[in-house]
Every structure is written in structure tokens, then in C-alpha cells.
Amino acid sequence: MVTITAEPAAGEEISRRRPRRPRARSRGSRIAYVYILPFFVVFAAFSVYPWLDTAWVSLHDVRLSTYDQQTWVGLANYRNLLTNSFFWNAFRNTVTIGIISAVPQLCIALGIAHLLNHKLRGRTFFRVALLMPYATSLAAATVIFIELFDPRTGLIDWALHALHLPRVDWQGSKWPAQFAISSIVMWRWTGYNALIFLAGLQAVDQELYAAAAVDGAGKWAQFRHVTLPGLRPTIIFAIVVSTIGSAQLFGEPLLYSPQHLPDGGTQGQYQTLGLLMYQQGWANDRLGLASATAWTMFVIILLAVLVNLLIARRRQRRA
Amino acid sequence: MRLRGTRRRTAASMLALVTAGALSLAGCGSSSDNTSDSAGGGASASAGPCGTTKPTTLTVGLYGTFGFKENGLWDAYKKVCPNITIKEDDVEQSADYWTKLKTRLASGSGLDDVQGIEIGFVGDVLANHADQFVNWQTVPNAAADKAEFYPWKWNMATTADGKDTVGLGTDTGPQSICYRADLFKQAGLPTDTATLTKDFSTWDGLLNLGKQYEASKTKPEGSSFIDSVNSIFNAAVYQGTEAYDDDSGQPDVANSDGVKNAWKIATEAAQDKISAGLAQWGPDWNKAFSSGTFAALACPTWMMGYIQGQAGDAGSGKWAVSPVMPGGASNWGGSWLGVPKASKNQPAAIALVEWLSNKGNQVTMWTSPSQGGHWPSNSQAAADPSVSGATSTYFSGDPIGQIYSKIANQMKIPPIGQYDTQIQSDINTQLTNVETKGTSPSSAWSAALNAIKQVTG
């Protein structure tokens, strides 16, 4: 659509050699609005409207069963949330599971991408293999991991036992449970991130490596001084996406619970914000409080992404 | 191509927003109109025993295993009313079913012609949705319908003002203890009726049997006496004058005699270490029915169906039912069938529900060979000799009819409320912490109250 509407105008402008007039573009622009309208209609119906409605509901005392009886409570739900031990527990769990899963995941992905960027026998096979976990259904993957981490019959505890190490309660103890969930996340997303990094790597000018090699840089020095700076935008993208993903973590901990309950273990040891929101809304029937949690999560994600970007920008300036 | 001019962009997105808003409003509006229209339908007696003479498909929304299909009732109804086709709309877990039903009640659309109502959420239905269900006190056969049921069963599905009854009863859950007779024998515990009648008559007696089992040198390795202390709690809590709620149906957990007593017995059982500490309804618990990880559990009649489902044919003759219930006769569970006013086939749906809950069919539900432990809520059915005379080969030939009818006739029923399911689940979680993590009962208790407050607000 760009070519059809914009090109004659552009040709005209070049021949006359004078700045574009806004009016000359408005007809094309109007057609463009028609083209993008379907997206924005869907966006408005499934994103903007739910956002606004959620905000509205979060200011009311609402139960699912009595949805038509909403009582205005102002910011009481937010006050309740911020003074609520369940919220802070879920917040801490979300942060720790996010860190345990995202940091190793991105580092490993970077390493794999670096390796796969070399000429390697069976490179396509490895690249496809990397994407397999991502293409596997979350439920199927989690079921396998539950079996692996089963405290009675799991392969991992069996191996620990064989090595004369103490058995670990992967379900009931806080850190092992969080680690187990992080491992599911890592398993699923490392390959995906590696491919993103690989795409970024292939955009890095190969002559820079040659030049660095001529200057006497070894593999590690090349990685640090050519690969990393070249990949910066890609890395920032991956970090931002992982941050958003971590903050919304829901399916893995829900399915990891033996009865698929949203309470994140009997002591809430792996309840994330996503699970808490679900529990408040669907198990406890309190839609107002759940909506407040949803909006608080939204703000937390915005803040986390902003912090990411600020750090990235500052480093960029320094570099 | 770059778009300049923010004003136009704003206008476009506003337009999109308004369109979406209008669409969704229109959606809600029309559906609630339908509800009020069809509410005036009412039943007409002239259409015959099937409610209608036209070919009609009735959708029936159920959860878990109601057993109508399994016990041949749908086939039987086809003979009574050949013009009626029945379509089951099943959800496995009652909690998921309830979420779905709530959403449909709130929007007033998508409801089935007949909806199952469980004891766990009948309180909510009565408090918030009674006007959306056909009132069984105003149907043509109201008086005859009412006369069939245990009065408490009828009252449980009736609003506090006594004016509105939302469902007719299906099964109820008089409880006893189910135990593995083979494991009892192996561990040297008594299995004869006379001794068990004495030992199982009190909770202390049950705890003593448990200690005896744990101390036995001949019991199978890795086997515990009871499945979970929650088994004890969930059974004992209904033995108080209150369970989770006061007379007005408001949550009253901290003051309830039933909760306090059940908590005391359950935490004692945890400290006696007589429990396998399995999460009820979890995968490990399910497996344990056949593996023998535990030897006994609280056993409302419907649990007999669950045991047979999990342990399979291999468990036949190994299981048995205690002749008495420790701590007194009580009920756990049960359901009703209601007809939403939104149903377009109200007379036919009412006729079907009346037929399903009549004496003959409730007798069939209990006595049929593939029965799942559906104890009648129809008191005439419960009094039928074939019901009270039933024995079960699966349960070692025990006189299950006689055992449960005695319990059913003595049951005291505490008031129910809107949040019973969630409250019980929060307490069970904390009892699991006491028995598997060594959490002190007092800190588990305050954690439970804290979690319950998240539900009740």
C-alpha cells in the first residue's frame, strides 16, 4: 500500500524539488487509516476496553457471582493489596523466579548463539532442535518436569540418592520448588532466545571479526568487544521480553502444583503474581481485588521495563 | 509512510473504542432481555408427563459423575418420553463447573435446561441467583415433590425466607469410614463387626486404631493408617451444630464448634503420625487407592464410587465399610438439579428433573450394579427395602444399605454458606502443612484464618 499511494507523490516532489506539503499526503493517509482500522478495532475491543474495564472494576467491590452488584470502594482494593502479605509474598516469588530463570537463560542463549554462529556440521539440525522446546506445549512439558522432580518416584531424586546426596523436596521446599519451575522456563525459552541472538549475530559485520583477529584479539576478546556491542539492541529486546514474561509467569507454577491449584504450594512458596490474581478472581471470587492486582502488575512491568531501558541507555552513553 | 497529525489519530482510536464498547454493551443487553422474557413461560400441565409433545432436546449441565448415563436412566427416559433427547454438558471438576455456571448466570446466557447444583455452592445460588431458577414451590407438582425428600435436603436448597426452592435433590452423603480389610488383618487389627462397632464409635477410638496400625510390625512397609488428616477434618467438621457458617449463613469459622473440634482431632492425628499426608484428590492420593499407601479414609457414600473408580476390580473384596461413624452421624456432600428460568424448555426440563428424583430412579441409582454410591435424598427411596437391604461384594459383602440408612436417619445438618468450598480448601492446605511440614497447629490455624479472610473479604 505504501508504493501505490506514496510513489507518484514522491516522484512529483522530486521533480519539483520542493518540500512536501502536508495536504498532498492527506488522501493517502486517510486510506492508510482504513487499512489499519481492523487492527485497531480488535485492539480496542480486546485490549483497550478490557484495560479500562479492569481499571473500573478495580475500584469496586465485585464478586463474580454478583457481577451486577458493584459497590464503589475507591482505592480500597489497592490499599488492601499493598498491606497484604499474600501480595508481597507473590511479588517476591515473581522477582526471584524471574531472576533464577531469566539470567541463566539469557547467558546460556548467548553462548549457544555464539557457538552456532560458527560454521558447524549439522548447523541446521541444531538450530531446529533449539526451537523444539519452544514448540512443545507448556502442559506437556510441565507434566514431564513434574515427573522428573517427583519427590517419591522422580528421576532427579533417584539420581541424588544414587550419588548418596540427600533427597530434595522439590514440591514443598521453597527454593527447590522455585528452581524446578525456573528450570521449566529455562528449558522452554533458552532456544528461542538463542535464535533471536543468532539472528542478531548474523547482522554483525563479519569484517569486524577479521579486523579484530588481525589486531590480535582472541575468541573471548572478539566476543566481548565485537559480539556484545553488536548485539546490544538484540540483548535489550530479549531482556525486555523476558522481564515481561517473568512478571506474567502463570502456566508453569499452576501446572506444577499437584492439584493444579493457584495457591502456589501449601505455603504459597511458588505463588506468582499471575497465580495470585487468578486465585483472587476465580477461586476466591473477588474480581475487584484481582483487577487491582492486574493493574498493579501492569505498573510493575512498566517500571521494570523502564529501568531496563534506562540502564541500557546509560551504558550506551558511557560506551 | 509516516502519519502526522495526532488529532486525527486520536479520533480514529476513539471511534474504534466507542465501536467496541457499543458492541459489547449490545451483547450484554440482548442476553439479559432474553432471560426476563422466557421467565414468564412457566409449566403447563396440559402437555403431558414429558412437559411437551414436540421433539425436544434438553441439555443437562453436570460435573463429576452423577451416574445417570452409567446407570441407564437416559435410556430409560427415552422409553418414557420418546420425543425428548438428552444431551449432557459435563465438566469434570465441580469447581470448574461452578466458575462456568457463575459466569453464565452473571451474563444470563449459555445456561443449560437443567443445571446440577452442588452443596459446595448451593449457598451462593440461594443468596445471589435464586430468582434465576425455577421455584419448585410453584411448579404444578410442588406439594408432591416436597413430600418426597428428607426435609433437611429440601430446606438446604430453599432460601432463608423459605419462599424459594432452587432444586430437587439427587444424592446425599451420609458418611462412615471405608477401610482396607486385608491391610487391617495383615497389621493385626480387628475386622469383626462387634469390635469395630466399638472401636470406630469415637474419634479417640479411631486414633487408637491408627496408633495400633502404625506400631504394627506386620503392616506393609510404607503404609499409613489414614490417607490424610483432612479426611478426618472434613468428616468431623459437619458433626458440630455449626460447620463453617452461623444460622444466617455468614462465615463463622473462628467460633464454630464443628471446626474447633475437627481441628483438634485432625491435629492430634497429625501428631500421632497415623496419616500418609497425601493431598486429597491429588495424583498420589489417587494412586494410593490401589497401592495400599493408606488403610482407611472418611467415606461418604459417594466415596465408595470413587474408591471403585480408582482401585478398580483389583480392589474388590479388599475394601470394607465401618459399621458406625466416629463422633456421630453426619453428611458430606450431595447435589440438586435446578432448572434455569432462561431455559426455553422449562416444562420439559421440570418433568425430567421430577422423573430423575422420583423414588424408583433414586432406588435404581443406589442399587444398580454399576452404582457409584448415590445415597437417595428421596426419603421414600431411602426407606425402600432394596435400598436399606443392599450389600456390596466390592466392600467385602458388608451390609452397606443397613449401615448408611442408619446413619442417614440420624444425621444432624449444620447450616451452610456461600464460601464453604474455599474455606474448607484453605483449612485443608494448612492441615497438610501441619502433617507434612511440622508447622505448629497454632500458626497453621492463624494462617488458615488469614487465607479465609482473603475469600470472605
Side-chain angles (χ1 to χ4, degrees):
Chain A
M1 72 184 179
V2 176
T3 47
I4 293 166
T5 58
E7 227 158 63
E12 210 182 341
E13 275 166 17
I14 289 164
S15 67
R16 290 186 193 165
R17 287 187 170 267
R18 58 174 207 190
R20 302 171 169 197
R21 282 181 311 171
R23 186 154 299 193
R25 284 168 18 91
S26 66
R27 185 174 50 93
S29 303
R30 240 177 260 147
I31 294 172
Y33 282 125
V34 176
Y35 279 122
I36 59 172
L37 187 66
F39 168 76
F40 281 99
V41 169
V42 172
F43 177 71
F46 294 104
S47 290
V48 179
Y49 171 70
W51 272 337
L52 298 179
D53 193 49
T54 307
W56 182 246
V57 169
S58 77
L59 302 174
H60 293 77
D61 186 12
V62 191
R63 285 185 182 270
L64 181 58
S65 189
T66 49
Y67 193 73
D68 47 345
Q69 303 161 27
Q70 309 190 347
T71 330
W72 173 267
V73 291
L75 293 174
N77 284 327
Y78 292 92
R79 211 177 304 127
N80 179 342
L81 207 60
L82 297 178
T83 55
N84 185 324
S85 60
F86 291 87
F87 172 76
W88 290 110
N89 173 55
F91 177 72
R92 278 192 301 271
N93 289 343
T94 308
V95 172
T96 51
I97 295 178
I99 292 173
I100 311 175
S101 60
V103 174
Q105 179 197 144
L106 293 176
C107 293
I108 298 169
L110 199 56
I112 295 177
H114 187 65
L115 290 178
L116 283 185
N117 199 28
H118 293 292
K119 289 208 162 58
L120 210 66
R121 208 181 281 260
R123 204 161 53 161
T124 316
F125 168 76
F126 286 117
R127 287 179 184 176
V128 172
L130 271 183
L131 212 56
M132 287 303 288
Y134 176 66
T136 308
S137 112
L138 170 65
T142 311
V143 166
I144 302 290
F145 273 84
I146 288 174
E147 294 293 326
L148 286 177
F149 284 109
D150 190 298
R152 283 167 220 265
T153 55
L155 199 61
I156 291 176
D157 264 22
W158 175 82
L160 287 178
H161 188 66
L163 292 170
H164 300 287
L165 291 168
R167 286 179 178 272
V168 177
D169 182 0
W170 296 104
Q171 190 58 243
S173 308
K174 179 171 176 173
W175 294 110
Q178 294 202 357
F179 173 79
I181 289 165
S182 302
S183 70
I184 308 174
V185 181
M186 272 190 265
W187 179 80
R188 273 195 90 218
W189 291 93
T190 302
Y192 170 82
N193 281 311
L195 281 193
I196 300 276
F197 286 146
L198 188 59
L201 273 179
Q202 288 176 341
V204 177
D205 194 346
Q206 288 301 314
E207 282 177 23
L208 286 175
Y209 287 102
V214 169
D215 285 349
K219 284 272 182 250
W220 175 243
Q222 286 180 20
F223 179 73
R224 272 192 62 194
H225 297 292
V226 181
T227 307
L228 280 186
L231 266 185
R232 175 157 290 137
T234 317
I235 294 176
I236 293 173
F237 167 79
I239 291 179
V240 167
V241 169
S242 313
T243 308
I244 295 175
S246 307
Q248 296 179 331
L249 191 66
F250 173 74
E252 288 88 348
L254 179 70
L255 293 171
Y256 189 70
S257 143
Q259 292 155 281
H260 308 316
L261 291 175
D263 47 11
T266 56
Q267 292 173 316
Q269 59 266 35
Y270 52 87
Q271 185 175 52
T272 58
L273 285 171
L275 279 187
L276 177 71
M277 179 179 75
Y278 182 85
Q279 183 181 37
Q280 290 167 335
W282 302 109
N284 294 354
D285 221 17
R286 299 180 69 186
L287 287 184
L289 193 60
S291 301
T293 309
W295 263 88
T296 311
M297 278 172 72
F298 181 56
V299 171
I300 290 172
I301 292 173
L302 275 186
L303 286 178
V305 170
L306 266 182
V307 168
N308 276 338
L309 292 179
L310 280 181
I311 293 173
R313 186 174 293 175
R314 190 190 266 181
R315 291 203 54 156
Q316 207 162 14
R317 239 182 251 152
R318 222 186 274 158
Chain B
M1 172 164 62
R2 291 233 169 122
L3 298 173
R4 257 183 242 152
T6 15
R7 230 185 49 206
R8 233 176 295 151
R9 196 162 11 174
T10 324
S13 47
M14 282 305 286
L15 177 77
L17 223 164
V18 170
T19 316
L23 281 174
S24 58
L25 281 176
C28 291
S30 61
S31 55
S32 46
D33 285 351
N34 284 346
T35 320
S36 45
D37 279 351
S38 52
S44 67
S46 59
C50 304
T52 177
T53 48
K54 290 189 211 114
T56 305
T57 301
L58 291 179
T59 54
V60 181
L62 302 175
Y63 43 85
T65 313
F66 267 76
F68 296 136
K69 191 169 96 200
E70 292 78 356
N71 291 321
L73 292 198
W74 292 157
D75 290 340
Y77 200 63
K78 194 83 219 170
K79 282 178 197 128
V80 180
C81 297
N83 59 325
I84 305 286
T85 310
I86 290 165
K87 234 175 81 192
E88 265 192 58
D89 174 16
D90 282 341
V91 177
E92 195 184 327
Q93 300 284 335
S94 66
D96 299 336
Y97 169 87
W98 171 225
T99 303
K100 204 169 143 189
L101 178 61
K102 250 187 303 199
T103 317
R104 289 174 174 184
L105 286 168
S107 69
S109 69
L111 290 159
D112 290 313
D113 295 313
V114 176
Q115 297 275 183
I117 303 172
E118 212 232 328
I119 194 165
F121 51 83
V122 69
D124 195 326
V125 170
L126 288 173
N128 303 314
H129 305 287
D131 57 335
Q132 286 177 274
F133 283 91
V134 165
N135 182 358
W136 292 94
Q137 299 180 19
T138 60
V139 300
N141 300 328
D145 286 342
K146 186 178 178 180
E148 287 186 305
F149 295 95
Y150 288 118
W152 60 264
K153 183 76 180 181
W154 178 269
N155 292 338
M156 245 179 171
T158 303
T159 48
D161 60 10
K163 288 185 183 145
D164 209 328
T165 302
V166 296
L168 293 190
T170 57
D171 62 333
T172 66
Q175 359 180 31
S176 181
I177 303 285
C178 288
Y179 64 95
R180 284 278 298 266
D182 59 330
L183 298 186
F184 267 42
K185 261 185 211 125
Q186 201 181 331
L189 263 59
T191 51
D192 64 291
T193 310
T195 322
L196 282 182
T197 307
K198 187 163 64 69
D199 287 354
F200 268 134
S201 62
T202 62
W203 286 109
D204 280 342
L206 178 131
L207 296 186
N208 280 331
L209 278 178
K211 283 186 254 185
Q212 223 177 305
Y213 187 83
E214 298 298 330
S216 158
K217 294 203 173 62
T218 52
K219 68 156 188 167
E221 200 190 335
S223 173
S224 300
F225 179 68
I226 204 144
D227 61 330
S228 153
V229 298
N230 289 325
S231 193
I232 296 175
F233 181 90
N234 296 345
V237 70
Y238 297 109
Q239 292 174 339
T241 50
E242 274 186 16
Y244 302 114
D245 311 278
D246 61 19
D247 281 335
S248 56
Q250 293 306 308
D252 187 33
V253 177
N255 303 317
S256 151
D257 59 338
V259 171
K260 279 187 204 159
N261 188 43
W263 180 269
K264 187 173 145 278
I265 302 161
T267 50
E268 249 178 73
Q271 276 148 8
D272 289 345
K273 305 215 177 303
I274 61 168
S275 148
L278 297 172
Q280 288 195 310
W281 323 111
D284 287 340
W285 187 70
N286 286 341
K287 279 180 219 156
F289 282 96
S290 46
S291 69
T293 309
F294 57 80
L297 81 165
C299 202
T301 40
W302 46 263
M303 190 68 88
M304 294 171 37
Y306 197 85
I307 292 173
Q308 291 172 56
Q310 294 298 332
D313 291 341
S316 182
K318 291 181 181 165
W319 286 87
V321 182
S322 155
V324 287
M325 174 66 184
S330 60
N331 174 70
W332 177 8
S335 297
W336 292 262
L337 293 175
V339 176
K341 285 183 183 164
S343 161
K344 298 210 164 56
N345 305 307
Q346 270 186 42
I350 289 170
L352 173 66
V353 171
E354 284 173 341
W355 184 81
L356 284 171
S357 54
N358 72 21
K359 180 184 165 186
N361 286 316
Q362 292 216 359
V363 169
T364 308
M365 289 296 289
W366 172 253
T367 53
S368 110
S370 62
Q371 69 107 347
H374 304 276
W375 185 261
S377 59
N378 182 315
S379 51
Q380 293 159 19
D384 191 90
S386 64
V387 168
S388 54
T391 57
S392 165
T393 43
Y394 196 95
F395 290 85
S396 305
D398 279 342
I400 52 170
Q402 187 202 327
I403 294 171
Y404 282 113
S405 77
K406 205 168 151 197
I407 294 167
N409 288 334
Q410 295 170 355
M411 287 193 299
K412 288 177 300 183
I413 308 291
I416 53 170
Q418 285 186 51
Y419 313 116
D420 293 0
T421 310
Q422 294 103 314
I423 292 174
Q424 179 156 305
S425 146
D426 285 335
I427 293 181
N428 286 351
T429 302
Q430 292 309 322
L431 281 172
T432 303
N433 285 337
V434 173
E435 67 174 331
T436 62
K437 297 201 172 141
T439 309
S440 78
S442 61
S443 67
W445 175 247
S446 55
L449 291 184
N450 204 355
I452 290 166
K453 202 157 170 283
Q454 297 297 306
V455 180
T456 57

